Each structure stands twice: as structure tokens, then as C-alpha cells.
Amino acid sequence: MAVSTSSHLTAVEAHVSESDNSTLSPTPDFDLKDMKAQVVENVYAAEEAGVPQIPDGGFWAWSTVAGAFLVQYCTFGYINAFGVYQDYYVRIYLNHYTPSTIGWIGGMQIFLNFGMGVVTGRLFDRGYFRYLMATSIVLHAIALFMLSLSHENKYYQVFLTNGVAFGAASGITYVPSAVLNPIMLNKLFSGPIGFHNGIRISAGLNVFLLLVSFALMRTRMPPKPAQKFPIKDWVLKQHEFSLALVTCMFTFFALFFPVFYLQLNAIVHGVDRNIAFYSLSILNACSVIGRVVPNAISHKFGISNLIIVFTFLTGAVTFTFPAVKNLEGTILFAVFWGFVSGAFISLVPAYINIMSNDPSETGTRLGLFFGTGSIIGLFAS
């Protein structure tokens, strides 16, 4: 809505009238006519500056939403399917290595996906969005197509392609479509197509979707100038933000462990593979619901209250993982853990935002939060 000069003048005139008739306190030592003139000057200056208003939609607005959806599918949605890789690597492709050693590949993905936001977020603010997208697409293609050329039990090849390169490609554009990737990868790896050709097919699909998203997405606001924030004061003096960082450290210790090991755990305990292959898809489908419902009711119960509840529930459900040893337990764990962990992840940006004194701080604060979590995630999988 445009600035209304008349409404401001009416408000000032009312204030002047009340001040003239007031008997509660003496009139302050300033000229009310000068104050009125100053307000008028500020109002006209705001109008002439043409402050950008929030758009009401349009093709490019909604196409950007669609493009962001595709980016999410190809990046974080793919990382959430790493449990398929973990299972295949442990049982077949990297069976000379321990599960914990293989887990470093997924840990590197988590570290780079979240940690690079500290740098890429600032680059985005400075107007380098399309350069970031182009770099991510190229690196994404290199990572997966080179993985398809890797050799069995050559750990360094898999680590550099699936861990470092793919993690970096995702981190560059990380900003829900994690349900379809586990099903697709399981069908490709376990069917007649095989691992290497399956990787090539998934790589081709992802690169194609990223190219589509690149064509669809646009930024609205002009680049921001370089900004300096009192990060030291946030961490050391703003106690609620300090507590959030500490909570982040503990949470990321176990946040992705079930995503990496649920399918493998089910197969090891004798669950039919055809059903176990869907465990991650069930988990991610429930995570989608968990990301939507709590945010829809947050205005009634409060963001802080909800994130406390769902952080506790995520930890409580995670503690039940050692007891998951059959089909029923696998499905129940996938449903409950998917929902509560999805709620926690989706509430974090809103929770960090309410701590910010200005919207321009939110990106940097989120970068600190997820950057802290990424370091823990590197060692926790």
C-alpha cells in the first residue's frame, strides 16, 4: 500500500490538538509546527523514493515457487534418500568398509549442505543467485555422473563424488519432495538397470529438473550492499540465541541418523526388502505432513512452545530406534519420527526469525544456526 500523506497529516494535527489541550504536563520544549513540517517532509521523501512494495503474484512469482520445489527435490530431497545408498554401500558396493566409515559420506553431505549457507547466503543477498544456480547444476552433474563411473570398494572415489561434490552442489542452492527419491533409487539399484546405470538415470533427471528450475526462477529485490552484523553480541549476549545454538549442537548429533540407517536396520533384522525399501519414503511422507501442520497452528500455540515440544519429541522417538527390529516397529518409527523431526526442521526458520531485530538479520542468523549444526552432523552419522 502506498504511503498516505493525508493520513499522516491528520494524525499529526490530532496530536497537536491534544497537546494544546493537555493539562497533565507542561508542553515539551519544541515547536509543534516544526514537527508537523518535518513529518510532511519525511512523508513526501518516502513517496518519492519509491520504496518497493510486496508484489501480488504473477507468473514469475509462482514459477519461482515451482522452481524452488524442483531444487528442493534434487538437493535436500536427494540427501534424505541417502539411506538407500548407505544400505547398498554396506551390503554390496563398499562391503570392505564398516558402516561407520561409509557414514562419513552422508556426514559430508550434511556438513556441506548446511554449512555452505554461511557463504552462499551472503552471495545470494549480493545478487549472485543465477551464478550460484549455474555452479550448482554443473557440480551436480559432475558429482553424480562421476559416481556412476566409480569402482566397487574404491572408497575415495565414492567419498569425493557422492560426499564432497554432491554435498557442495546441494549446499550452493539449499534453501518437498523427498518421498520419490528413495523409491526411484531402490528400484534402479535393485533391478536389472543396476547401480551405475541407475546413477546415470537419476543424474540425468536431476540435472534436467535443475535446468528447468533455473529457467523458472527469478529474484525480485535488487542486490543488497555488504552488511555487518553484531554476531559476537548475538552469540554471547543474546541468551535465547545462544541457547538455540547449543540446542542445535545436541539435535544434529542424531537428527539424520535414522534417515541413513532405517532401511539398512530393517533389512538386517529380516524385514522383507520389498517393504523395507519403502521405509524412507514413509518417513519422508510423514515429514512433509510434519512440516505443514505445526506451522499452520503456530499462531495459536506459539512458535517457541511448539519447537520446544517437537525438539523433545524428536529426541524421545530417536531413543526408541534400538528397539526397532521388525516390520511393525519400522513403520511406526518411520511415521512418528518423520512427523516430529519434520516439524522441528520446519519451525527453525520461524523461531530464528522472531529473535531478529530486523528481517535482514534472519539469513545470517540461520547461517550461524545451520553452520553450527553442519559441523556436528559431519561427525554424527
Side-chain angles (χ1 to χ4, degrees):
M1 178 180 295
V3 178
S4 174
T5 306
S6 60
S7 62
H8 282 281
L9 295 181
T10 302
V12 173
E13 289 168 354
H15 177 74
V16 171
S17 176
E18 291 175 1
S19 300
D20 289 341
N21 297 328
S22 175
T23 57
L24 296 176
S25 61
T27 303
D29 188 20
F30 58 80
D31 193 331
L32 292 174
K33 291 183 179 180
D34 289 344
M35 183 184 73
K36 178 178 177 180
Q38 184 63 48
V39 170
V40 173
E41 181 181 344
N42 292 339
V43 169
Y44 282 119
E47 288 181 339
E48 293 174 358
V51 178
Q53 304 297 316
I54 298 175
D56 59 356
F59 172 78
W60 287 115
W62 289 108
S63 70
T64 299
V65 173
F69 177 88
L70 295 177
V71 170
Q72 187 79 335
Y73 173 89
C74 298
T75 55
F76 196 58
Y78 207 86
I79 289 177
N80 264 17
F82 183 77
V84 177
Y85 281 99
Q86 179 78 16
D87 172 41
Y88 189 83
Y89 289 160
V90 170
R91 293 188 297 108
I92 300 173
Y93 202 66
L94 296 176
N95 54 19
H96 292 177
Y97 299 87
T98 64
S100 61
T101 301
I102 295 171
W104 279 92
I105 300 172
M108 180 59 68
Q109 286 186 357
I110 296 299
F111 170 70
L112 292 173
N113 184 72
F114 289 107
M116 290 187 68
V118 176
V119 177
T120 58
R122 301 301 294 271
L123 291 174
F124 175 85
D125 287 342
R126 299 296 301 278
Y128 291 98
F129 165 70
R130 299 190 72 78
Y131 294 96
L132 292 172
M133 279 293 299
T135 303
S136 176
I137 293 171
V138 172
L139 190 55
H140 197 108
I142 292 174
L144 291 184
F145 280 115
M146 292 304 294
L147 175 61
S148 74
L149 299 176
S150 65
H151 294 87
E152 192 169 333
N153 282 308
K154 295 295 183 180
Y155 180 82
Y156 76 94
Q157 296 178 355
V158 178
F159 181 83
L160 291 176
T161 55
N162 200 8
V164 177
F166 185 81
S170 299
I172 290 173
T173 54
Y174 174 66
V175 212
S177 187
V179 178
L180 299 179
N181 273 313
I183 298 175
M184 178 186 69
L185 293 175
N186 273 313
K187 294 295 184 182
L188 291 174
F189 293 173
S190 302
I193 293 176
F195 178 74
H196 293 99
N197 287 328
I199 292 294
R200 295 183 184 109
I201 292 173
S202 67
L205 175 62
N206 280 9
V207 171
F208 171 75
L209 293 177
L210 286 170
L211 288 172
V212 173
S213 69
F214 182 78
L216 290 175
M217 298 173 72
R218 296 289 188 276
T219 56
R220 181 178 67 89
M221 300 298 291
K224 298 178 182 178
Q227 293 176 287
K228 292 185 178 181
F229 296 109
I231 296 176
K232 184 177 180 181
D233 290 342
W234 294 348
V235 175
L236 299 179
K237 298 181 180 180
Q238 189 178 8
H239 302 305
E240 60 270 28
F241 188 69
S242 303
L243 182 61
L245 293 179
V246 173
T247 304
C248 173
M249 295 173 62
F250 285 101
T251 304
F252 268 70
F253 263 120
L255 187 58
F256 291 95
F257 184 86
V259 176
F260 290 176
Y261 289 98
L262 181 61
Q263 178 175 311
L264 177 62
N265 181 76
I267 293 175
V268 168
H269 285 94
V271 176
D272 185 274
R273 292 184 181 181
N274 292 324
I275 301 176
F277 284 168
Y278 288 95
S279 59
L280 287 178
S281 294
I282 295 172
L283 185 153
N284 288 326
C286 293
S287 178
V288 171
I289 300 173
R291 293 166 192 248
V292 174
V293 174
N295 280 279
I297 62 175
S298 61
H299 64 287
K300 292 185 178 180
F301 298 96
I303 293 174
S304 298
N305 295 329
L306 287 175
I307 200 169
I308 290 172
V309 170
F310 283 107
T311 301
F312 173 81
L313 290 177
T314 301
V317 177
T318 303
F319 273 118
T320 68
F321 189 74
V324 177
K325 298 179 180 180
N326 53 34
L327 174 60
E328 294 79 6
T330 299
I331 294 177
L332 286 173
F333 182 88
V335 170
F336 285 103
W337 194 88
F339 182 85
V340 297
S341 64
F344 165 77
I345 293 172
S346 67
L347 287 167
V348 164
Y351 179 60
I352 298 299
N353 183 62
I354 63 177
M355 300 183 196
S356 303
N357 299 317
D358 185 86
S360 62
E361 298 178 2
T362 303
T364 302
R365 287 178 181 266
L366 281 173
L368 287 172
F369 183 91
F370 285 122
T372 301
S374 71
I375 298 173
I376 304 302
L378 176 63
F379 300 97
S381 54

